[in-house]
Amino acid sequence: MGNVPSTVKHCLSSEQLLLDYPWLKSWLLEKKDTTTHGYPECVKIVEVGPRDGLQNEKEIVPTEVKIQLINMLSGTGLSVIEATSFVSSKWVPQMADHSDVLRGIQRAPHVRYPVLTPNLQGFQDAVAAGASEVAVFGSASETFSQKNINCSIDESMVRFEDVINSALEKHIPVRGYVSCVLGCPHEGYIEPAKVAEVARRLYELGCYEISLGDTIGVGTPGSTSKMLQSVVKEVPPQALAVHCHDTYGQALANILTALQMGVSVVDSAVAGLGGCPYAQGSSGNVSTEDVLYMLHGMGIETGVSLPKVIEAGEFICTALHRRTNSKVAQAQSVKF
Amino acid sequence: AVFMENVCSRSRLYFISLTLDTTTHGYPECVKIVEVGPRDGLQNEKEIVPTEVKIQLINMLSGTGLSVIEATSFVSSKWVPQMADHSDVLRGIQRAPHVRYPVLTPNLQGFQDAVAAGASEVAVFGSASETFSQKNINCSIDESMVRFEDVINSALEKHIPVRGYVSCVLGCPHEGYIEPAKVAEVARRLYELGCYEISLGDTIGVGTPGSTSKMLQSVVKEVPPQALAVHCHDTYGQALANILTALQMGVSVVDSAVAGLGGCPYAQGSSGNVSTEDVLYMLHGMGIETGVSLPKVIEAGEFICTALHRRTNSKVAQAQSVKF
């Protein structure tokens, strides 16, 4: 707005600004506001960068880099960091080193490290590697289930029941994911009632939390609201999480809507790791940095240090030879 | 296992041209989009755009259903070389019926040049930050109000409506935090001088739903929400969340720029204006009427990005154009 170029010409370059007013940077990153009415006081962030993020990155990441990323994230205040996936390396080469990663990380106290276990074999491997929390992922779309895990929704539930029962016997908590909750790359529109049904089934099987994933990022506050209205009839909002993809730039608006409806758990990935395989070149996961910036600006407690997450993001982006997808991280790192 | 398959183009187009949903409760039924790409967007682009390209961009936007397109700025070419061709642009565009083409007029000289070139709506821009006002337009807020009064009086004599902008409403690159009461005061003064609408600009994009809400709570005590607009920058990725918050508080006018044109001069390499495409996608998905065709805006965005040799800042446009 206004004669902006003349400002830059007249006064200070942005680099000079930050040199002269170093407090400005910390003000932007640290300032917390009093809670905005109608939102939860606290939000739990589930960091999915090391799993969902890296899984969708083209470049194979060395095991030690994955371990270092998780170790850095363990020092940020995050309480849940999804570490890896015990899926066949034939399908997901990026996760082939799952056991080494899980064994190699320095587990911080008060931090949980769930791992994906799509079937009983994966679950047993995970337990052997020391897993203390696991996750299963179902789909609200029949076609997506077939193409993604080669079976129908009903058949997948049978598999999950085996995993969940085995897990609960060992007192290992299980998180349930539902994909395609706001749209499917094959079927298009997904009925909210279908999402509610799949969420309910996973919840009744014993999952302590159900993460609702907008897999292709097509959701808006409109569809998010409708979907959640259906789901909360079957699963209490305290047991729900939203896993928004930012492919269409809607993630933060959708998260805001979910928070207004009583959801207080948000999945995100450091640096917005992981593209969208359904829209080449587009973004996937919403970035943890941008989510934190929003929540802190609203006075919502997360327990997480934004500057430390930015640091972890810079580390992994350097290792991946890519730019961050986080706008906060971009804005904060002034280029010279 | 993840099965990597591109979504078929039919599915993707389905989402872009999604039939409007029934209105989500608690939001306005209609939102007016003020397209600022040709002015605010291009002004902050490094590459100087030829006059004919600017004209073609505006002509394309004129066919999208947009009802307000900010065409250019009658500011000295010494300060803003990108807008040096302001008169040629305003004279050269094909004005569509039912579309208005406001132009920025920072002072009386600019206003007179604008009228000579056929302007039928103008805009003035104040600041909620004293320091920003000094550094941006070389005068204090009070002094700027005197200038604006001249412009507004001259405009109203000619029955030319005037829009008022307030910059730095959620933070200033120099002063940092800006008191909501200060924003309200500047907005009120512009409104009382005769501006029909006040656009509240988060100039450096630092706002969040928290600060947006607080600021608007102050402003609506001085200016009715129907006369307010939000001009959110997406530098920290907060724009859509802030817009959503503003809509919940009764604001129903949103400024945006096709393709998210225009970077942020205060954070090099970062984005500035929120993209019209992403705003439309959100509003339409909420059942809110805008009268604007998203596919046509995407087309205009593709045109200007090609001309500027740059990628679009719009995530919707990126997602919709699948690369092979």
Side-chain angles (χ1 to χ4, degrees):
Chain A
M1 296 172 39
N3 293 333
V4 160
S6 65
T7 302
V8 175
K9 183 185 155 188
H10 269 251
C11 70
L12 311 165
S13 65
S14 43
E15 305 92 324
Q16 191 62 40
L17 270 175
L18 285 169
L19 282 173
D20 284 357
Y21 305 101
W23 55 265
L24 186 66
K25 193 189 261 198
S26 63
W27 170 77
L28 289 175
L29 295 177
E30 305 282 3
K31 179 166 161 60
K32 292 186 201 220
D33 222 333
T34 53
T35 311
T36 309
H37 181 70
Y39 292 102
E41 285 190 6
C42 309
V43 163
K44 178 177 78 175
I45 302 283
V46 173
E47 171 60 45
V48 299
R51 200 280 306 169
D52 193 10
L54 293 184
Q55 187 169 301
N56 286 305
E57 289 286 330
K58 290 190 189 139
E59 201 162 310
I60 298 288
V61 177
T63 307
E64 54 273 16
V65 171
K66 285 181 183 133
I67 288 172
Q68 192 175 342
L69 172 65
I70 295 170
N71 289 343
M72 287 181 81
L73 292 169
S74 294
T76 61
L78 285 162
S79 59
V80 187
I81 301 168
E82 203 174 60
T84 187
S85 178
F86 283 80
V87 69
S88 162
S89 56
K90 225 179 11 168
W91 300 126
V92 189
Q94 179 75 276
M95 298 285 129
D97 56 359
H98 41 62
S99 299
D100 294 334
V101 169
L102 193 55
R103 287 200 187 99
I105 56 176
Q106 285 158 8
R107 299 204 198 196
H110 313 303
V111 183
R112 287 147 45 203
Y113 301 90
V115 298
L116 248 60
T117 52
N119 49 41
L120 210 48
Q121 182 62 56
F123 173 74
Q124 285 156 359
D125 294 343
V127 171
S132 47
E133 182 169 331
V134 298
V136 294
F137 50 91
S139 173
S141 153
E142 202 59 70
T143 316
F144 190 83
S145 187
Q146 288 287 357
K147 290 191 180 294
N148 206 36
I149 52 177
N150 289 315
C151 63
S152 70
I153 294 177
D154 283 345
E155 286 164 347
S156 74
M157 289 296 164
V158 172
R159 280 188 209 173
F160 300 152
E161 194 166 6
D162 288 343
V163 172
I164 295 169
N165 287 342
S166 307
L168 295 182
E169 270 172 36
K170 296 185 183 320
H171 305 294
I172 290 177
V174 185
R175 189 185 209 227
Y177 281 93
V178 184
S179 59
C180 297
V181 302
L182 296 174
C184 168
H186 315 287
E187 294 185 14
Y189 178 70
I190 297 293
E191 284 289 342
K194 185 68 184 173
V195 179
E197 180 204 326
V198 175
R200 176 185 55 75
R201 291 173 77 173
L202 286 169
Y203 189 63
E204 285 175 351
L205 282 176
C207 293
Y208 74 92
E209 190 170 272
I210 310 298
S211 172
L212 306 166
D214 181 12
T215 306
I216 46 173
V218 292
T220 65
S223 54
T224 298
S225 167
K226 281 202 169 58
M227 182 272 295
L228 284 172
Q229 277 169 23
S230 274
V231 176
V232 299
K233 293 177 186 160
E234 310 285 348
V235 181
Q238 304 84 333
L240 292 175
V242 286
H243 184 111
C244 299
H245 279 194
D246 205 36
T247 318
Y248 288 78
Q250 309 294 306
L252 288 190
N254 293 343
I255 289 168
L256 203 68
T257 300
L259 296 180
Q260 286 182 343
M261 296 182 69
V263 175
S264 60
V265 182
V266 175
D267 297 1
S268 58
V270 59
L273 289 177
C276 176
Y278 304 98
Q280 303 248 6
S282 295
S283 56
N285 289 297
V286 68
S287 71
T288 302
E289 296 93 319
D290 295 4
V291 172
L292 287 173
Y293 186 88
M294 180 174 80
L295 297 178
H296 292 174
M298 296 165 67
I300 295 174
E301 295 279 345
T302 64
V304 185
S305 158
L306 173 51
K308 289 188 177 172
V309 174
I310 291 177
E311 244 184 88
E314 279 168 2
F315 163 76
I316 191 63
C317 286
T318 305
L320 283 168
H321 311 109
R322 60 159 287 177
R323 271 192 88 185
T324 180
N325 266 341
S326 157
K327 289 206 163 179
V328 170
Q330 279 172 36
Q332 192 254 9
S333 70
V334 174
K335 312 278 185 302
F336 294 92
Chain B
V2 177
F3 185 91
M4 301 295 181
E5 185 192 75
N6 290 328
V7 59
C8 71
S9 54
R10 217 171 349 122
S11 249
R12 207 167 32 253
L13 283 173
Y14 163 79
F15 288 112
I16 296 288
S17 58
L18 200 63
T19 48
L20 295 187
D21 222 333
T22 53
T23 311
T24 310
H25 181 68
Y27 293 101
E29 285 190 5
C30 309
V31 162
K32 177 177 78 175
I33 302 283
V34 172
E35 171 61 45
V36 299
R39 201 279 306 170
D40 193 11
L42 293 185
Q43 186 170 300
N44 286 305
E45 288 285 332
K46 289 188 190 139
E47 200 162 310
I48 299 287
V49 176
T51 307
E52 53 273 17
V53 171
K54 286 182 183 128
I55 288 172
Q56 193 176 341
L57 172 64
I58 295 170
N59 288 345
M60 286 180 83
L61 292 168
S62 294
T64 61
L66 284 162
S67 58
V68 187
I69 302 168
E70 204 174 57
T72 187
S73 178
F74 282 79
V75 67
S76 162
S77 56
K78 225 181 9 169
W79 301 130
V80 189
Q82 180 77 274
M83 298 285 129
D85 56 0
H86 41 62
S87 299
D88 294 335
V89 169
L90 194 55
R91 287 201 187 97
I93 56 175
Q94 284 157 8
R95 300 202 195 196
H98 313 302
V99 183
R100 288 150 40 207
Y101 300 90
V103 297
L104 248 62
T105 51
N107 48 41
L108 210 49
Q109 181 61 57
F111 173 74
Q112 285 156 359
D113 294 343
V115 170
S120 46
E121 180 168 332
V122 298
V124 294
F125 48 92
S127 174
S129 155
E130 200 60 70
T131 315
F132 192 84
S133 187
Q134 287 288 357
K135 291 191 182 292
N136 206 37
I137 50 177
N138 290 317
C139 64
S140 70
I141 295 176
D142 283 346
E143 287 163 347
S144 73
M145 289 294 163
V146 173
R147 280 188 209 173
F148 301 153
E149 193 166 7
D150 288 343
V151 172
I152 295 168
N153 287 342
S154 306
L156 295 182
E157 270 172 38
K158 295 184 184 319
H159 305 292
I160 291 176
V162 185
R163 190 186 207 225
Y165 281 93
V166 183
S167 60
C168 297
V169 301
L170 296 174
C172 168
H174 315 288
E175 293 186 14
Y177 178 70
I178 296 293
E179 284 289 342
K182 186 68 184 174
V183 179
E185 180 204 326
V186 175
R188 176 187 53 75
R189 290 173 76 174
L190 286 169
Y191 189 62
E192 285 176 352
L193 282 177
C195 294
Y196 74 92
E197 191 170 271
I198 310 298
S199 172
L200 306 166
D202 181 13
T203 307
I204 47 174
V206 292
T208 65
S211 54
T212 297
S213 167
K214 280 203 171 58
M215 181 273 295
L216 283 172
Q217 277 169 25
S218 273
V219 175
V220 298
K221 291 178 186 161
E222 309 286 348
V223 181
Q226 303 87 329
L228 293 174
V230 285
H231 184 112
C232 300
H233 279 197
D234 204 37
T235 319
Y236 288 76
Q238 308 294 307
L240 287 190
N242 293 342
I243 288 168
L244 203 69
T245 301
L247 296 180
Q248 287 182 343
M249 296 181 70
V251 174
S252 61
V253 182
V254 175
D255 296 0
S256 59
V258 60
L261 288 177
C264 175
Y266 304 98
Q268 305 247 5
S270 294
S271 57
N273 288 298
V274 68
S275 70
T276 302
E277 297 92 318
D278 295 4
V279 172
L280 287 173
Y281 186 88
M282 179 174 81
L283 297 178
H284 292 174
M286 296 166 66
I288 295 173
E289 295 275 349
T290 64
V292 185
S293 158
L294 173 52
K296 290 189 176 170
V297 174
I298 291 177
E299 245 184 88
E302 279 168 1
F303 162 75
I304 191 61
C305 287
T306 305
L308 282 168
H309 311 110
R310 59 158 289 176
R311 272 192 89 184
T312 179
N313 266 342
S314 157
K315 289 206 162 176
V316 169
Q318 278 173 36
Q320 191 255 10
S321 69
V322 174
K323 310 277 183 302
F324 293 95

